[in-house]
Amino acid sequence: MLRRPRRNRQSDAIRKLTTETHLSSDHLIYPLFVVDGAGTKEEVSSLPGNFRMSLDYVLREIEECVSLGLDRFILFPAIPDEYKDKTGTYGYDPNNFYLRMATKIKEEFPEVCLISDVALDPYNIDGHDGIVRDGKILNDETILQLCKMSIAQAAAGFDILGPSDMMDGRVMAIRQDLDTAGYKNVGIMAYTAKYASAFYGPFRDALDSAPVEGENIPKDKKTYQMNPANKREALIEAELDTQEGADFLMVKPALNYLDVIHLLKENFELPIAAYHVSGECAMLIAACQKGWLNYEQAMPETLLSIHRAGADAILTYFAKDYAKLQKFGKL
Ligand code: PBG
């Protein structure tokens, strides 16, 4: 045998030399669920190790993450029902705690990168990312609301906005409004290929944001989120988001869509982000809790696979644990 691939695997020293993909916590973004008030830290039962936190706990959490070298966060608000309405007006209300929280975080930690969520579902009584009328999700009317939310978030101090709603044309509308309002340096991480996935369950539990059951309310998000069977359609979405001025193209979920991540990486120059979503993380946590998998091995392998597929940035509920493993030399 002339070729013995095992020669390059025979020692740790040689394996290091031939390692093709390196993942550092510099590529990770940590999602945080936030609530109004003070003194709240409640675990999300379907996503153990993740909490709904009020500002006081959020600041402590960010401080700890920064000490681990993790300084990028995406915030998702849980909104009390009394603030919800048909068009999500609380999303840009000057008293919105989410906006005030972002300002406070940036005051305390100006160096961290804060990413927002732009969508109506936390604020909408119907639990949809857009305005519902006569059983339909209105695209253009929703965009007007998303633009107002975006300006309010930029004013609050978010560095990057994350439109997660999948309305057509929203990236361009948001970009134009941001520029007109003078927020030229506020970026857009577009949820480009976001699929109508069954893996968002724990997230919707955390925020109580699932589509509401009722007459004339679509029971799922299939008219705006993408069909899991489709890959080429992701190229159309990516082309549009690129033309419309996005700074990042996101694929979501990540693990079941590694082929889509790879496809966008091969075809576009913008940085590719992947959202390793709540249900994907919950499966692994559950198996580890049962003793069926080893967390310190299975978790880094999972994140590595997303990076290897082509994701430059990974949004994952494991970001902090990964940063810990890295800091303590356990990777
Ligand atoms: C909604 C939104 C969702 C997630 C992020 N933003 C849920 C949905 O589309 O229903 C899911 C993230 C996760 O599951 O971790 N705008």
mmCIF file of all heavy atoms in Angstrom, residues 76 117 119 121 129 164 191 194 199-200 203-204 221 225 252 275 277-279 317, ligand 1:
data_model
loop_
_atom_site.group_PDB
_atom_site.id
_atom_site.type_symbol
_atom_site.label_atom_id
_atom_site.label_comp_id
_atom_site.label_asym_id
_atom_site.label_seq_id
_atom_site.Cartn_x
_atom_site.Cartn_y
_atom_site.Cartn_z
ATOM 1 N N PHE A 76 -33.719 38.274 22.885
ATOM 2 C CA PHE A 76 -35.108 38.005 22.510
ATOM 3 C C PHE A 76 -36.009 38.331 23.691
ATOM 4 O O PHE A 76 -35.824 37.775 24.776
ATOM 5 C CB PHE A 76 -35.277 36.530 22.113
ATOM 6 C CG PHE A 76 -34.544 36.164 20.846
ATOM 7 C CD1 PHE A 76 -33.311 35.533 20.895
ATOM 8 C CD2 PHE A 76 -35.091 36.461 19.606
ATOM 9 C CE1 PHE A 76 -32.631 35.201 19.726
ATOM 10 C CE2 PHE A 76 -34.418 36.136 18.433
ATOM 11 C CZ PHE A 76 -33.185 35.504 18.490
ATOM 12 N N ASP A 117 -33.742 41.332 17.624
ATOM 13 C CA ASP A 117 -34.690 40.532 16.856
ATOM 14 C C ASP A 117 -35.714 41.486 16.257
ATOM 15 O O ASP A 117 -36.362 42.241 16.981
ATOM 16 C CB ASP A 117 -35.389 39.514 17.772
ATOM 17 C CG ASP A 117 -36.324 38.605 16.992
ATOM 18 O OD1 ASP A 117 -35.929 38.155 15.902
ATOM 19 O OD2 ASP A 117 -37.444 38.345 17.465
ATOM 20 N N ALA A 119 -39.040 41.296 14.370
ATOM 21 C CA ALA A 119 -40.184 40.489 13.922
ATOM 22 C C ALA A 119 -41.335 40.860 14.831
ATOM 23 O O ALA A 119 -41.128 41.353 15.936
ATOM 24 C CB ALA A 119 -39.892 38.990 14.026
ATOM 25 N N ASP A 121 -43.609 38.694 16.069
ATOM 26 C CA ASP A 121 -44.192 37.631 16.904
ATOM 27 C C ASP A 121 -44.123 37.832 18.419
ATOM 28 O O ASP A 121 -45.050 37.427 19.113
ATOM 29 C CB ASP A 121 -43.706 36.234 16.491
ATOM 30 C CG ASP A 121 -42.208 36.084 16.561
ATOM 31 O OD1 ASP A 121 -41.510 37.042 16.222
ATOM 32 O OD2 ASP A 121 -41.726 35.010 16.938
ATOM 33 N N ASP A 129 -45.235 36.472 12.841
ATOM 34 C CA ASP A 129 -44.158 37.431 12.593
ATOM 35 C C ASP A 129 -44.653 38.634 11.796
ATOM 36 O O ASP A 129 -43.924 39.606 11.608
ATOM 37 C CB ASP A 129 -43.013 36.754 11.826
ATOM 38 C CG ASP A 129 -42.336 35.671 12.655
ATOM 39 O OD1 ASP A 129 -43.025 35.050 13.481
ATOM 40 O OD2 ASP A 129 -41.129 35.457 12.466
ATOM 41 N N SER A 164 -36.023 38.524 11.533
ATOM 42 C CA SER A 164 -36.240 37.074 11.557
ATOM 43 C C SER A 164 -37.617 36.715 11.009
ATOM 44 O O SER A 164 -38.094 35.605 11.182
ATOM 45 C CB SER A 164 -36.127 36.561 12.994
ATOM 46 O OG SER A 164 -37.141 37.098 13.819
ATOM 47 N N TYR A 191 -32.136 37.004 8.306
ATOM 48 C CA TYR A 191 -32.547 35.601 8.344
ATOM 49 C C TYR A 191 -32.946 35.305 6.905
ATOM 50 O O TYR A 191 -34.049 35.617 6.461
ATOM 51 C CB TYR A 191 -33.716 35.387 9.286
ATOM 52 C CG TYR A 191 -33.389 35.490 10.769
ATOM 53 C CD1 TYR A 191 -32.838 36.651 11.299
ATOM 54 C CD2 TYR A 191 -33.653 34.446 11.633
ATOM 55 C CE1 TYR A 191 -32.551 36.747 12.664
ATOM 56 C CE2 TYR A 191 -33.373 34.537 12.992
ATOM 57 C CZ TYR A 191 -32.823 35.688 13.506
ATOM 58 O OH TYR A 191 -32.564 35.780 14.847
ATOM 59 N N LYS A 194 -34.701 30.946 6.298
ATOM 60 C CA LYS A 194 -35.289 30.495 7.560
ATOM 61 C C LYS A 194 -36.440 29.567 7.218
ATOM 62 O O LYS A 194 -37.378 29.947 6.518
ATOM 63 C CB LYS A 194 -35.776 31.681 8.366
ATOM 64 C CG LYS A 194 -36.481 31.263 9.654
ATOM 65 C CD LYS A 194 -36.828 32.438 10.529
ATOM 66 C CE LYS A 194 -37.573 31.984 11.772
ATOM 67 N NZ LYS A 194 -37.903 33.109 12.650
ATOM 68 N N PHE A 199 -38.297 22.660 14.873
ATOM 69 C CA PHE A 199 -37.262 22.706 15.905
ATOM 70 C C PHE A 199 -37.210 24.031 16.671
ATOM 71 O O PHE A 199 -36.212 24.330 17.313
ATOM 72 C CB PHE A 199 -35.894 22.377 15.278
ATOM 73 C CG PHE A 199 -35.781 20.918 14.926
ATOM 74 C CD1 PHE A 199 -36.282 20.431 13.723
ATOM 75 C CD2 PHE A 199 -35.227 20.009 15.817
ATOM 76 C CE1 PHE A 199 -36.219 19.076 13.406
ATOM 77 C CE2 PHE A 199 -35.151 18.660 15.520
ATOM 78 C CZ PHE A 199 -35.649 18.195 14.303
ATOM 79 N N TYR A 200 -38.269 24.842 16.555
ATOM 80 C CA TYR A 200 -38.298 26.120 17.287
ATOM 81 C C TYR A 200 -39.097 26.020 18.593
ATOM 82 O O TYR A 200 -39.306 27.030 19.264
ATOM 83 C CB TYR A 200 -38.930 27.226 16.425
ATOM 84 C CG TYR A 200 -38.278 27.445 15.077
ATOM 85 C CD1 TYR A 200 -39.037 27.888 13.976
ATOM 86 C CD2 TYR A 200 -36.913 27.238 14.887
ATOM 87 C CE1 TYR A 200 -38.455 28.098 12.724
ATOM 88 C CE2 TYR A 200 -36.330 27.435 13.634
ATOM 89 C CZ TYR A 200 -37.121 27.863 12.564
ATOM 90 O OH TYR A 200 -36.547 28.070 11.335
ATOM 91 N N PHE A 203 -37.892 27.580 22.015
ATOM 92 C CA PHE A 203 -37.839 29.040 21.888
ATOM 93 C C PHE A 203 -39.231 29.644 22.068
ATOM 94 O O PHE A 203 -39.417 30.619 22.788
ATOM 95 C CB PHE A 203 -37.273 29.388 20.514
ATOM 96 C CG PHE A 203 -37.221 30.858 20.185
ATOM 97 C CD1 PHE A 203 -36.047 31.588 20.355
ATOM 98 C CD2 PHE A 203 -38.336 31.522 19.667
ATOM 99 C CE1 PHE A 203 -35.996 32.934 20.029
ATOM 100 C CE2 PHE A 203 -38.293 32.866 19.343
ATOM 101 C CZ PHE A 203 -37.117 33.579 19.520
ATOM 102 N N ARG A 204 -40.227 29.010 21.429
ATOM 103 C CA ARG A 204 -41.595 29.539 21.550
ATOM 104 C C ARG A 204 -42.115 29.344 22.968
ATOM 105 O O ARG A 204 -42.898 30.163 23.459
ATOM 106 C CB ARG A 204 -42.511 28.879 20.506
ATOM 107 C CG ARG A 204 -42.117 29.285 19.078
ATOM 108 C CD ARG A 204 -43.015 28.617 18.030
ATOM 109 N NE ARG A 204 -42.522 28.858 16.681
ATOM 110 C CZ ARG A 204 -43.006 28.245 15.591
ATOM 111 N NH1 ARG A 204 -43.986 27.363 15.707
ATOM 112 N NH2 ARG A 204 -42.508 28.517 14.401
ATOM 113 N N LYS A 221 -46.332 28.793 10.108
ATOM 114 C CA LYS A 221 -45.673 29.935 9.470
ATOM 115 C C LYS A 221 -45.247 29.627 8.035
ATOM 116 O O LYS A 221 -44.331 30.260 7.497
ATOM 117 C CB LYS A 221 -44.481 30.361 10.329
ATOM 118 C CG LYS A 221 -44.873 30.759 11.763
ATOM 119 C CD LYS A 221 -43.710 31.399 12.527
ATOM 120 C CE LYS A 221 -44.182 31.921 13.896
ATOM 121 N NZ LYS A 221 -43.100 32.649 14.610
ATOM 122 N N GLN A 225 -42.117 31.389 6.144
ATOM 123 C CA GLN A 225 -40.864 30.655 6.323
ATOM 124 C C GLN A 225 -40.745 29.596 5.223
ATOM 125 O O GLN A 225 -41.741 29.129 4.671
ATOM 126 C CB GLN A 225 -40.829 30.017 7.711
ATOM 127 C CG GLN A 225 -40.909 31.079 8.811
ATOM 128 C CD GLN A 225 -40.870 30.509 10.213
ATOM 129 O OE1 GLN A 225 -41.003 29.296 10.412
ATOM 130 N NE2 GLN A 225 -40.715 31.386 11.192
ATOM 131 N N LYS A 252 -31.213 28.960 8.895
ATOM 132 C CA LYS A 252 -31.827 28.568 10.171
ATOM 133 C C LYS A 252 -32.919 27.546 9.918
ATOM 134 O O LYS A 252 -33.765 27.786 9.058
ATOM 135 C CB LYS A 252 -32.416 29.821 10.817
ATOM 136 C CG LYS A 252 -33.166 29.582 12.091
ATOM 137 C CD LYS A 252 -33.757 30.871 12.578
ATOM 138 C CE LYS A 252 -34.652 30.567 13.755
ATOM 139 N NZ LYS A 252 -35.345 31.730 14.240
ATOM 140 N N TYR A 275 -28.080 29.556 12.525
ATOM 141 C CA TYR A 275 -28.753 29.550 13.821
ATOM 142 C C TYR A 275 -28.991 28.106 14.241
ATOM 143 O O TYR A 275 -29.814 27.407 13.659
ATOM 144 C CB TYR A 275 -30.084 30.314 13.747
ATOM 145 C CG TYR A 275 -30.600 30.789 15.095
ATOM 146 C CD1 TYR A 275 -31.203 32.037 15.228
ATOM 147 C CD2 TYR A 275 -30.489 30.016 16.235
ATOM 148 C CE1 TYR A 275 -31.671 32.489 16.455
ATOM 149 C CE2 TYR A 275 -30.948 30.455 17.468
ATOM 150 C CZ TYR A 275 -31.539 31.679 17.572
ATOM 151 O OH TYR A 275 -32.011 32.105 18.784
ATOM 152 N N VAL A 277 -30.661 26.114 16.389
ATOM 153 C CA VAL A 277 -31.867 26.568 17.101
ATOM 154 C C VAL A 277 -32.167 25.743 18.358
ATOM 155 O O VAL A 277 -31.592 24.678 18.587
ATOM 156 C CB VAL A 277 -33.107 26.588 16.176
ATOM 157 C CG1 VAL A 277 -32.887 27.520 15.000
ATOM 158 C CG2 VAL A 277 -33.479 25.184 15.713
ATOM 159 N N SER A 278 -33.132 26.272 19.095
ATOM 160 C CA SER A 278 -33.463 25.728 20.413
ATOM 161 C C SER A 278 -33.724 24.217 20.399
ATOM 162 O O SER A 278 -33.203 23.487 21.241
ATOM 163 C CB SER A 278 -34.668 26.469 20.980
ATOM 164 O OG SER A 278 -35.776 26.370 20.108
ATOM 165 N N GLY A 279 -34.519 23.746 19.435
ATOM 166 C CA GLY A 279 -34.855 22.322 19.409
ATOM 167 C C GLY A 279 -33.639 21.457 19.136
ATOM 168 O O GLY A 279 -33.519 20.340 19.658
ATOM 169 N N TYR A 317 -27.124 28.194 21.727
ATOM 170 C CA TYR A 317 -27.326 28.230 23.177
ATOM 171 C C TYR A 317 -26.147 27.587 23.903
ATOM 172 O O TYR A 317 -26.086 27.633 25.129
ATOM 173 C CB TYR A 317 -28.659 27.541 23.516
ATOM 174 C CG TYR A 317 -29.807 28.247 22.819
ATOM 175 C CD1 TYR A 317 -30.269 27.828 21.569
ATOM 176 C CD2 TYR A 317 -30.360 29.398 23.369
ATOM 177 C CE1 TYR A 317 -31.271 28.511 20.896
ATOM 178 C CE2 TYR A 317 -31.363 30.097 22.700
ATOM 179 C CZ TYR A 317 -31.814 29.642 21.468
ATOM 180 O OH TYR A 317 -32.787 30.334 20.808
HETATM 181 C C1 PBG B 1 -39.342 34.388 15.503
HETATM 182 C C2 PBG B 1 -38.119 33.595 15.844
HETATM 183 C C3 PBG B 1 -38.113 32.224 16.103
HETATM 184 C C4 PBG B 1 -36.806 31.879 16.438
HETATM 185 C C5 PBG B 1 -36.035 33.038 16.370
HETATM 186 N N1 PBG B 1 -36.852 34.092 15.991
HETATM 187 C C6 PBG B 1 -39.238 31.268 16.152
HETATM 188 C C7 PBG B 1 -40.146 31.208 15.023
HETATM 189 O O1 PBG B 1 -39.859 31.612 13.899
HETATM 190 O O2 PBG B 1 -41.248 30.742 15.270
HETATM 191 C C8 PBG B 1 -36.380 30.493 16.826
HETATM 192 C C9 PBG B 1 -35.043 30.329 17.447
HETATM 193 C C10 PBG B 1 -34.840 29.046 18.152
HETATM 194 O O3 PBG B 1 -35.643 28.087 18.054
HETATM 195 O O4 PBG B 1 -33.832 28.943 18.848
HETATM 196 N N2 PBG B 1 -39.184 35.571 14.854
#
